[in-house]
Amino acid sequence: MQQTLRQVINFSAGPATLPETVLQQAASEMLDWHGTGVSVMEMSHRGPHYMRIHEEARQNLRDLLAVPPGHHILFLQGGATLQFAQVPLNLIGRGDGADFVNTGDWSAKAIKEAARYGAAREIASSQPEGFTRIPAQSSWKRSERAAYLHICSNETIRGVEYQFDPDDHGVPLVADMSSNILSRPVDVSRYGLIYAGAQKNIGPAGLVIVIIRDDLLGHALSATPTLLDYREQAQHDSMLNTPPTFSIYIAGLVFKWLKAQGGLAAMGEHNARKAQRLYDCIDASGFYRNAVAKDDRSRMNATFTLSDPALDERFLKEAAAEGMTDLKGHRTSGGMRASLYNAMPMEGVDRLVSFMRQFETRYG
Ligand code: PMP
């Protein structure tokens, strides 16, 4: 892996750390992209230079995820949160409401928003267990007539991740992959629609990637704004209006970087090793604890608590003094969270683990 340890090791859940070489390249091209004399930010989105950037980004993403020819790749805006509305606006009219598996804060938000447009049924939930696991598929109370079935493949806040692609039973699967897209190979053909905000494994916040199967286009409710109609966006190459050109350019650099790392198979192995190292440290100690069922632990967001929460502030302060930032857990769940996205090098995890061991020796 071509990864360097930077001065600040940023464990933020997003916006998150990006590959240093990508940032360096963007910096070196900032004033003059490939001898054009202008910045990507200043280019017409319909001009040949930007069109090349746009096309290359899309093709590289298609290659990385092995997106089948019948699926469209869209570069949209509004973050993943807008998808909580855009998905039902476009799809819920196809059937009798939609089914949702509730595994945490982000799936709950998707359910709440979808309920504005039709029946949003919670067909399984891990809420009674404090969102610490993925409910077994056999317990999901699916409806055959649902327009789609929605999951959140990685719950960023509590650190719970699907380790399998659910069966679709003839109902299109929709997945919010904001916090684990591109972290390992995924069989895109099993999904009707995948969406992901960019600010974790892809690039700048605001950009959102949508991958949608062709037959799911053209079902938008009549009140759907044109800009939010997936079919319109697919027909206009995500250029119905001015797209977020600079964000797409940065995402394109990240896609090239991922290819140079060996693609998603290599990334997946690397990410699994990183997460294992941190979870091993947690499990070997009586001082740190992760509440998630072992089989459902996230490889992207590892959450843990200290045996004495009174030490939380000291932990964060001492970690920051050693250059490790953004380890504070989400405000709704407390504790700690280390996000280990693609751009986090193994050395970053090693540094954290050795700090945690030391801290335990001193205060445990
Ligand atoms: N879904 C998941 C899984 C997330 O982690 C987030 C953001 N952390 C969102 C949705 C919302 O993303 P955005 O802020 O880009 O709207």
Side-chain angles (χ1 to χ4, degrees):
M1 289 282 143
Q2 173 207 346
Q3 290 178 314
T4 45
L5 195 61
R6 291 162 67 190
Q7 271 204 328
V8 167
I9 309 171
N10 173 11
F11 289 97
S12 168
T17 188
L18 286 172
E20 188 173 23
T21 51
V22 165
L23 297 176
Q24 278 164 346
Q25 186 175 346
S28 76
E29 294 175 348
M30 180 62 81
L31 296 181
D32 176 8
W33 185 81
H34 295 206
T36 55
V38 293
S39 169
V40 173
M41 241 182 287
E42 303 169 303
M43 288 175 185
S44 161
H45 62 294
R46 310 239 178 244
H49 303 307
Y50 178 72
M51 291 293 275
R52 197 177 113 201
I53 291 169
H54 195 90
E55 266 322 303
E56 262 185 32
R58 193 162 45 189
Q59 187 57 48
N60 283 329
L61 181 59
R62 189 171 281 282
D63 297 345
L64 281 165
L65 278 167
V67 177
H71 281 63
H72 303 265
I73 293 176
L74 309 178
F75 294 132
L76 306 179
Q77 303 192 60
T81 302
L82 188 55
Q83 293 308 306
F84 297 163
Q86 194 166 351
V87 169
L89 274 167
N90 278 270
L91 302 189
I92 211 159
R94 291 181 69 256
D96 171 22
D99 288 351
F100 289 79
V101 180
N102 184 4
T103 49
D105 307 70
W106 294 112
S107 6
K109 286 195 180 180
I111 297 170
K112 190 162 173 237
E113 190 67 13
R116 295 165 55 91
Y117 305 101
R121 288 176 298 267
E122 187 182 277
I123 61 157
S125 172
S126 55
Q127 190 162 22
E129 293 99 1
F131 294 126
T132 52
R133 63 183 189 85
I134 303 294
Q137 268 202 94
S138 54
S139 71
W140 300 3
K141 299 193 171 56
R142 298 160 183 266
S143 152
E144 277 168 22
R145 295 195 316 263
Y148 60 92
L149 166 60
H150 181 282
I151 64 160
C152 176
S153 60
N154 183 63
E155 287 281 358
T156 324
I157 293 179
R158 282 161 218 270
V160 188
E161 184 175 17
Y162 282 73
Q163 310 298 344
F164 61 94
D165 298 305
D167 303 319
D168 69 3
H169 290 272
V171 169
L173 260 183
V174 173
D176 173 0
M177 295 196 183
S178 295
S179 48
N180 68 352
I181 194 160
L182 297 171
S183 66
R184 61 175 165 191
V186 58
D187 183 356
V188 174
S189 72
R190 296 184 62 140
Y191 293 84
L193 190 152
I194 290 169
Y195 62 90
Q199 66 270 30
K200 298 147 194 319
N201 262 338
I202 296 173
L207 171 67
V208 59
I209 307 269
V210 170
I211 302 174
I212 180 168
R213 208 172 62 207
D214 193 57
D215 63 292
L216 299 182
L217 300 175
H219 303 279
L221 300 180
S222 57
T224 305
T226 309
L227 198 61
L228 298 189
D229 185 333
Y230 294 132
R231 180 172 61 181
E232 294 284 342
Q233 290 288 6
Q235 283 173 349
H236 292 87
D237 293 335
S238 312
M239 295 235 208
L240 210 48
N241 69 335
T242 316
T245 52
F246 195 75
S247 299
I248 293 168
Y249 154 70
I250 298 286
L253 296 181
V254 171
F255 300 153
K256 281 185 188 159
W257 175 81
L258 281 170
K259 278 188 154 180
Q261 304 305 297
L264 300 194
M267 230 52 239
E269 281 169 29
H270 189 235
N271 287 327
R273 274 189 280 122
K274 280 170 7 194
Q276 194 59 48
R277 199 160 293 183
L278 181 50
Y279 286 125
D280 282 348
C281 161
I282 293 169
D283 291 342
S285 105
F287 183 71
Y288 302 106
R289 179 170 176 270
N290 168 276
V292 179
K294 277 196 178 160
D295 289 345
D296 302 328
R297 284 172 165 180
S298 169
R299 296 150 314 120
M300 295 285 100
N301 315 97
T303 52
F304 57 94
T305 49
L306 275 52
S307 63
D308 178 4
L311 288 168
D312 283 5
E313 280 311 311
R314 188 182 293 262
F315 181 92
L316 291 167
K317 214 169 137 201
E318 292 194 11
E322 295 199 23
M324 287 172 281
T325 69
D326 295 80
L327 285 161
K328 193 176 166 76
H330 193 268
R331 61 186 187 281
T332 57
S333 58
M336 305 295 155
R337 172 175 55 178
S339 295
L340 312 175
Y341 299 120
N342 286 338
M344 173 61 62
M346 184 64 91
E347 292 73 23
V349 182
D350 285 341
R351 245 330 161 85
L352 175 61
V353 164
S354 91
F355 166 75
M356 285 169 67
R357 288 197 184 122
Q358 253 183 48
F359 191 88
E360 181 177 0
T361 316
R362 279 183 287 132
Y363 300 104

